[in-house]
Amino acid sequence: MPFGFTGKILKVDLDTGEIGTVEVPPALYKEHLGGSGLAARILYEDGVYKIDPLGPKNQLIFMNGILTGTPAPASCKMSICAKSPLTGLWGESTVGGFFGAELKKTPYDGIIINGKAQRPVYILIENEKAQISDATDVWGLDTYSAFDYFKRRFKNDKFQMACIGPAGEKLVKISSIMIGGYEARAAARTGMGAVMGSKNLKAIIVKASGRPQIADKARLISAIREDLNTIISNTKVLHDFGTAGGLQSVEAFGDLPVRNWSMGSWEEGAAKICGQYIAKAFFVSHSGCHACPIRCGKNVKILIGPYKGTVAHGPEYETCAGFGSNLLNDDINVIIAANDLCNRYGLDTISTSGVIAWAMECFEAGLLTKKDTDGIVLTWGNKEAILKVIKLIADNKGFGQFLGQGVKLASTQLGGLAREFAVETKGLEYAFHDPRAFTSMAVNYATANRGACHLEALSYFAEQSVFPPWLSAVIGETIDENQLMKIGERNFNLKRIFNYKLGITRKDDCIPPRLGMHDRKTGLSAGSIPHLGKLLVEYYRLRGWSEEGVPRKEKLKQLSLSL
């Protein structure tokens, strides 16, 4: 068996309680390198695209990549995949922390979860052993309280936890799966928390003592040492201030969303919600993910809200933009409290803040009234309203139930002008980078398989030839840049075909009117509107797709995808 993986995936059937393993041919690892690509292969071949996302036949897959759990810096990520209840399409969320690395110490490269338990349960994995246990006592707890519960349950033994909060339990379509405890990491996008909740699965606990198999550890360590100083020096801002340290620069570039993406500039406000200000007034300690020297996580003091006086994971860039500039809220205390509530309840901060911004604009336009909002006055920057609405969404009640569907379904139900205010593609709320600032992002957002994701086309890394030799050292075989690019292309096309089976073609490769037709008016991006039609013509040609955006048979054959 090649190095870098074990060749086995744990399979848990919550209907029957049966636990077994799936043997994976080595060729599939070479074709997909684990992660979301291998998960997509499994979900496609099992026909998961046909089923109800919240039904028991949807499969929830936790899948590690080849480098996860090794000493390679910034390679701690795990993919969590299923058919999305938010979009009805390919669902994928990526998360760091230590959960994936802990699972890599077991004999399993991933976990496939089928069915639905009759009562709340959790899965416990201890090295090669796995069992399903009752979770009635922990059901209903927020993710921090659940972490404390398992600490007591296992007498403070070291373990890693993937857990849903009340939002996932109540099947809120924008709910997340949280990794770790108070130093939270979120698998937030596309509603994977609701899939986990639909299975009555509260948590997965992993306690392991093995080590990932590395073909040439000495070569790997040597290569890491060569790059380490460069990594540390180039990420000093990330270490000092977290991802929110770039917020003012993003605003200066005309990239920061302001007032539901309708304004161009917000310089004074950006200075009040950036990572530098958080570090100055709220910082407690740094936190980091497995084998990562950057330590971009920040633990901060919470000074308002129901958890005033506690310390928890601080807001990242996306959260500061979403609950800050996009809501015209310049109070960092509210942003910190909102982030903490989302982490506790298990909500995606991007989708949650995005749907609140949409609702505020609808309220301003008279499309929503206090009668609709359970009495909440949804004016721009209303600090009290922001925290109240988060709680309503997590409870899946009343106005919160309406918003918890996500902006596409909510705006479709409201109809009319409300659709003009909806910033989504394929049902997923936008990550907070503006395609009017970097117009190539328009194609990225329009064609990304999980919806409006900014991470599916980080082409500037490839252009800089940033492919360190770590992977070859781990697996014991040389993989060059061309091979890596082909693997990525294979994975992307596979997910596209998954969506094509659900009717996705060129008609769906679009950006919302707010971003594709309206100028930002002020700031560095003023006057810029991406010409998506021309961009797509060239993009499809380069992809080897038809004019309708469908991968051609010749392209699939070239990628060894006999679908």
Side-chain angles (χ1 to χ4, degrees), residues 388-408:
K388 282 184 177 180
V389 172
I390 293 171
K391 181 67 164 62
L392 284 177
I393 292 173
D395 287 339
N396 204 23
K397 292 180 180 178
F399 184 57
Q401 186 177 45
F402 174 67
L403 294 185
Q405 305 174 93
V407 72
K408 181 177 181 178

Side-chain angles (χ1 to χ4, degrees), residues 5 21 38 68 77 133 152 177 182 221 254 328 331 348 358 384-385 422 431 436 440 521 529:
F5 54 89
T21 58
L38 181 56
T68 309
K77 297 298 180 74
S133 299
R152 294 190 299 271
I177 299 172
Y182 292 85
I221 298 300
L328 285 187
D331 189 337
D348 177 3
W358 168 82
E384 185 177 301
R436 293 169 293 185
S440 65
K521 302 294 190 280
I529 296 177

Side-chain angles (χ1 to χ4, degrees), residues 40-100:
R41 184 69 169 255
I42 294 168
L43 292 172
Y44 182 86
E45 291 185 348
D46 287 350
V48 170
Y49 51 84
K50 303 174 185 176
I51 54 82
D52 176 5
L54 294 177
K57 292 184 180 180
N58 196 6
Q59 295 184 32
L60 182 63
I61 299 183
F62 291 67
M63 191 67 69
N64 272 326
I66 298 295
L67 293 179
T68 309
T70 72
S75 61
C76 59
K77 297 298 180 74
M78 162 179 272
S79 295
I80 303 177
C81 307
K83 186 178 181 182
S84 167
L86 176 63
T87 67
L89 304 172
W90 168 255
E92 172 184 346
S93 198
T94 305
V95 66
F98 290 84
F99 184 85

Side-chain angles (χ1 to χ4, degrees), residues 12-17 113-117 121 123 132 199 201:
V12 180
D13 190 324
L14 294 175
D15 280 333
T16 64
I113 303 162
N114 296 309
K116 177 181 179 179
V121 298
I123 297 170
I132 303 170
K199 298 182 177 302
L201 178 60

Side-chain angles (χ1 to χ4, degrees), residues 45 269 284 363 383 385 388 438 456 458 463 515 519 555-556:
E45 291 185 348
V284 174
F363 191 89
K383 303 165 187 177
K388 282 184 177 180
F438 302 99
E456 289 197 32
L458 295 176
E463 291 169 5
L515 305 183
D519 179 8
K555 171 56 65 174
L556 297 180

